[in-house]
Amino acid sequence: MSEAIIIKQIEQTCASGRKVWDVFSDWLDIVEATLEALPRHAESVAKTGRPADDTPAVQARYAELRKTYHRDDFIRFSTAFSALLDTAAERGRANHVPDSGDAIDVPADERGTWDILGNVYMQLAVSSHYSGQYFTPWAAARLMAYTTLDDVAALCRQHVADAIDRGPWGKMGLASGAGITHPGKEKIMLMALADNYAYLEPVTVNDPACGSGIMLLAAASYCPQWALDYAVVRFYGQDIDRQCVQMARINMMLYGLNGFGAKLNAAVIGARAALASTAPAAPDVTLPAGKLEQRGLFA
């Protein structure tokens, strides 16, 4: 289980006497900074052929971390981050309910919570009972999302239809929103949405005590994938605990919500196109599988 891998790496980093709260918090800072930088790095690769420089704030944070942690610690942080990414990808596919409303048939052991960070947070016992931090179980969160968002697919299509009618396509009589937003017409619907996106009033989901964002993730798992990809549904949350808000922000990025996935995909596609147009002929070199080395942030 990915939670076990992450917990093991965090606990091993605490072996020298560091407090688990501090180590987990520092790891979250690294995860958040890394995810936030991905679109900038891809855009920079497209323009310059090299990753972007970290922001001054991130550079300063990394300088602080290097005073506390050693090379082996950063390797453990990297291992935990890889486990987080891999499991988020697996569980995102396994738990998502498509536009038809039919659940995807996957093995039970692959249907774990999307909220990996929240699980780790509770298992590491860094939560605060004084703040009422008892996170909602995934099954309960999914049930609450299901009862609240049983018509979310139709609602998303209605918001897209309204945007098309308010935009140039509708004003020029090129299309009627109601006519091109029926199931099965996703291709033309999304083409029209792209041209009329400025007129979209998104469906919004808010959790005023979001914790690590599990209720928002459960809501997302019942939304059509196209609605998430195009940020037709947007997620908001508040919490009294800064670390909880940080986990929620990371979770939004992990699953590409609030437009992050579209932004990252666009940047990656641009980078690939730029590299393909300027790349020299491939050298006659065979790389060992899985051993393509990259200089890390902490080298």
Side-chain angles (χ1 to χ4, degrees):
M1 292 178 60
S2 71
E3 288 94 343
I5 295 173
I6 296 171
I7 290 169
K8 179 180 179 181
Q9 303 308 313
I10 298 297
E11 289 180 339
Q12 286 182 346
T13 308
C14 296
S16 61
R18 301 185 185 102
K19 295 180 180 179
V20 64
W21 171 274
D22 294 331
V23 173
F24 184 65
S25 180
D26 291 339
W27 179 67
L28 286 181
D29 285 345
I30 294 172
V31 171
E32 183 178 23
T34 302
L35 290 174
E36 285 183 337
L38 289 178
R40 290 193 302 104
H41 287 319
E43 291 169 0
S44 179
V45 167
K47 295 177 181 177
T48 68
R50 61 181 299 275
D53 293 331
D54 289 316
T55 65
V58 170
Q59 291 182 28
R61 183 67 180 119
Y62 285 146
E64 292 176 2
L65 293 173
R66 290 190 188 97
K67 297 177 183 177
T68 303
Y69 300 100
H70 306 294
R71 179 179 177 82
D72 289 346
D73 298 323
F74 288 119
I75 291 174
R76 284 189 283 268
F77 283 156
S78 177
T79 301
F81 182 53
S82 296
L84 178 65
L85 292 180
D86 290 344
T87 307
E90 293 170 2
R91 294 184 182 177
R93 290 190 297 269
N95 273 311
H96 194 267
V97 175
D99 205 352
S100 65
D102 298 325
I104 300 173
D105 185 18
V106 296
D109 60 353
E110 295 180 12
R111 296 178 186 158
T113 173
W114 279 19
D115 186 18
I116 304 160
L117 292 176
N119 262 12
V120 170
Y121 186 76
M122 297 301 290
Q123 291 182 59
L124 285 173
V126 293
S127 59
S128 170
H129 66 275
Y130 295 108
S131 299
Q133 290 179 338
Y134 301 99
F135 290 174
T136 306
W138 179 242
R142 289 264 289 175
L143 176 61
M144 295 171 69
Y146 177 75
T147 58
T148 305
L149 301 172
D150 61 331
D151 61 346
V152 67
L155 183 62
C156 289
R157 291 180 182 276
Q158 182 59 56
H159 278 240
V160 173
D162 292 343
I164 294 170
D165 289 339
R166 287 192 294 266
W169 281 41
K171 292 178 180 178
M172 295 174 64
L174 297 177
S176 165
I180 61 173
T181 54
H182 294 295
K185 295 187 176 182
E186 284 76 16
K187 185 174 182 179
I188 183 65
M189 176 184 71
L190 296 177
M191 184 186 302
L193 175 60
D195 286 343
N196 298 274
Y197 197 83
Y199 298 89
L200 175 68
E201 294 183 2
V203 177
T204 57
V205 179
N206 181 69
D207 184 350
C210 65
S212 55
I214 191 168
M215 293 301 299
L216 302 177
L217 295 178
S221 74
Y222 278 105
C223 296
Q225 188 60 51
W226 59 263
L228 301 178
D229 292 342
Y230 282 75
V232 175
V233 184
R234 299 183 192 174
F235 303 89
Y236 302 87
Q238 301 83 34
D239 200 280
I240 62 174
D241 189 298
R242 172 191 172 277
Q243 196 168 80
C244 286
V245 172
Q246 185 178 33
M247 287 190 288
R249 282 201 303 266
I250 291 172
N251 274 329
M252 296 300 103
M253 290 187 283
L254 273 178
Y255 295 98
L257 305 179
N258 290 348
F260 182 79
K263 182 179 179 181
L264 179 57
N265 287 338
V268 169
I269 291 171
R272 286 176 177 171
L275 290 175
S277 64
T278 60
D284 187 16
V285 176
T286 301
L287 294 172
K291 296 295 184 181
L292 182 59
E293 298 293 338
Q294 299 183 32
R295 190 163 72 91
L297 287 171
F298 309 107

